[in-house]
Amino acid sequence: MYQIPAMTKLINELTKLPTIGPKTAQRLAFYLFKLPKEEACKLAESIVEMKEKISYCKRCFNIAEGEICYICSDEKRSDNILCAVAECQDVIALERAGSFKGRYHVLHGVISPIDGIGPSELKIKELIKRIKEYSTKEVILATNYDIKGDATALYLAHEIKPLGVRLTRLAYGLPVGSDIEYADKTTLLKAMEGRREF
Ligand code: ZN
């Protein structure tokens, strides 16, 4: 459309990003064009560096630089208590609240038959294995309070309860349908402290 292939290519790539439509992509592309070359290159380099250095933690499936993430490597944290979350962003949100001193397990999604996501697509087998291998005493289910989050929590309860560990879920202080990822610090702190048997 511009007869300028390099610009068209950049706009096409930006349009693939979430929440970025064609107009925003065009605005961003021109913004980047006007930036000093070093500034634009810093952005490009940081994307390449992130892709080269970051992968998933072999233990909890959170993002990590290296094999094991900083939370799994922290000796001050307790192995006795595991908090199961849907996405890595939920770890960041709960860490910001700051009260939880156990370990996490990132499921990488929630059960959603309509999207073809069943339990085997999630890191549930790995969670069960961890519960058995470590001396886990409590598992906190920290999925969102919506249909998919509830279905996932119920499935996990069915799998985990027979193992004889305490099972809790974040308290209902979290608004129904809201994302843990976007909840504020105080809400998450209360949800964690007020967690109940599930
Ligand atoms: Zn980890």
Side-chain angles (χ1 to χ4, degrees), residues 116-195:
I117 301 170
S120 55
E121 270 74 41
L122 309 177
K123 302 288 182 197
I124 293 178
K125 270 196 318 287
E126 292 82 353
L127 172 63
I128 304 297
K129 194 164 165 251
R130 274 181 88 191
I131 295 171
K132 287 177 181 167
E133 274 175 15
Y134 293 82
S135 51
T136 307
K137 300 217 168 21
E138 179 182 349
V139 177
I140 304 170
L141 304 175
T143 53
N144 289 332
Y145 277 104
D146 53 24
I147 293 169
K148 293 172 189 175
D150 290 347
T152 308
L154 281 172
Y155 181 85
L156 288 174
H158 180 261
E159 295 292 303
I160 295 169
K161 273 196 176 156
L163 304 175
V165 297
R166 184 181 179 213
L167 196 63
T168 54
R169 195 169 179 197
L170 289 191
Y172 279 104
L174 280 168
V176 172
S178 75
D179 280 5
I180 289 171
E181 182 188 348
Y182 303 117
D184 65 82
K185 201 172 145 178
T186 317
T187 306
L188 285 175
L189 199 66
K190 280 187 187 154
M192 184 61 85
E193 281 168 0
R195 66 186 185 269

Side-chain angles (χ1 to χ4, degrees), residues 57 59-62 69 72:
C57 171
R59 207 169 288 165
C60 76
F61 304 98
N62 187 17
C69 76
C72 288

Side-chain angles (χ1 to χ4, degrees), residues 51-67:
K51 291 304 288 178
E52 280 171 354
K53 286 191 176 167
I54 299 181
S55 57
Y56 291 120
C57 171
K58 289 209 157 41
R59 207 169 288 165
C60 76
F61 304 98
N62 187 17
I63 52 168
E65 267 198 50
E67 297 223 318

